[in-house]
Amino acid sequence: MSAPASQQDAIQAFIDLANEMKNEGASIELISTALMRACAVYSTYAVAGNQGALHPSGVEKLEKLFGQQLAVVQKAKIAEAESDT
């Protein structure tokens, strides 16, 4: 696998992998939970390193960042749905 050229390419690679797992029989609930847990693990690593852990304030910051990303996705989904009508 080559390095993604953009954030969107990286996102698509994760979605492709999730869809591959779904097509192999994994439930979307299992995949969604696994992706969220992987995000939590990797985000902790990105901030605190391999042996570190986040302080409560760091957890709150990541919760806020995740919420912001979720809002961006929902805004785009709503706009897409409205343009289809």
Side-chain angles (χ1 to χ4, degrees), residues 1 5 13 22 26 50 59 76 84:
M1 171 186 243
K22 178 186 63 116
N50 227 12
V59 172
D84 288 344

Side-chain angles (χ1 to χ4, degrees), residues 7-60:
Q7 187 180 75
Q8 188 58 45
D9 288 345
I11 291 166
Q12 191 60 55
F14 285 119
I15 292 170
D16 291 346
L17 179 58
N19 284 330
E20 184 179 322
M21 289 179 193
K22 178 186 63 116
N23 293 341
E24 291 173 355
S27 73
I28 59 173
E29 294 83 8
L30 178 142
I31 296 164
S32 178
T33 301
L35 280 170
M36 285 189 282
R37 181 76 52 92
C39 178
V41 169
Y42 204 83
S43 294
T44 299
Y45 161 71
V47 173
N50 227 12
Q51 302 301 320
L54 301 176
H55 295 287
S57 62
V59 172
E60 290 173 9

